[in-house]
Amino acid sequence: DCEKAPGENSVSKDLYLLRHAKSAWDDPGVGDRERPLNKRGRRDAPRMGRELGARMPVMAAHVSPARRAQMTLGGLQDGWPELQGCKHQTQQSLYTFSATDLVNYIVSQDDALDSLFLIGHNPALTDLVNWVCGEAVLANLPTAGFTHLSLACDRWEELDRGCGRLYSRLFPKEIDNE
């Protein structure tokens, strides 16, 4: 149960989610895991990095091994150079399209971490946001879209449906063009 008793002095968890930037579909011979970012994706990732640097603390990201997710992290670092000093983790289990797989990953995290930053895929991320919030608060997390969820949990293993709220979100189309 993620609900806190009134007056309970406990630390909540923060979950930061970023969908990989727009990927290329122009080469049918390239497998899904190997698809790179397209021009828009290569533009949006650094722009999101600059914006996120002003919105969230610097922290290591847990990233899908898919090339588009790895390239998204690289683009974020271009726009947010402080990320380059973090020890990011590539996690095979984050190459998933299932929110259940993401929940299983999150609940296994060390409780010493108060925040977790995942870079992954849809529909898993959109479904995870709506599950954590207990209602459909997001129709679709667009490519390079970001959400910050505030969780009423002291431990990651307490993550449950409805235990969080959408604290903020940022989509590339909301950033002023340069």
Side-chain angles (χ1 to χ4, degrees), residues 143-176:
T143 52
F146 167 82
T147 62
H148 172 191
L149 300 170
S150 178
L151 309 176
C153 300
D154 298 322
R155 297 187 317 271
W156 292 112
E157 67 184 13
E158 296 173 340
L159 183 70
D160 199 3
R161 185 177 196 283
C163 77
R165 69 180 179 90
L166 181 60
Y167 182 79
S168 67
R169 63 169 229 191
L170 178 67
F171 301 162
K173 69 180 181 183
E174 299 167 345
I175 300 172
D176 291 332

Side-chain angles (χ1 to χ4, degrees), residues 47-60:
R47 292 172 65 227
M48 288 298 289
R50 281 190 292 282
E51 291 293 321
L52 293 177
R55 294 172 180 246
M56 63 181 273
V58 174
M59 71 181 74

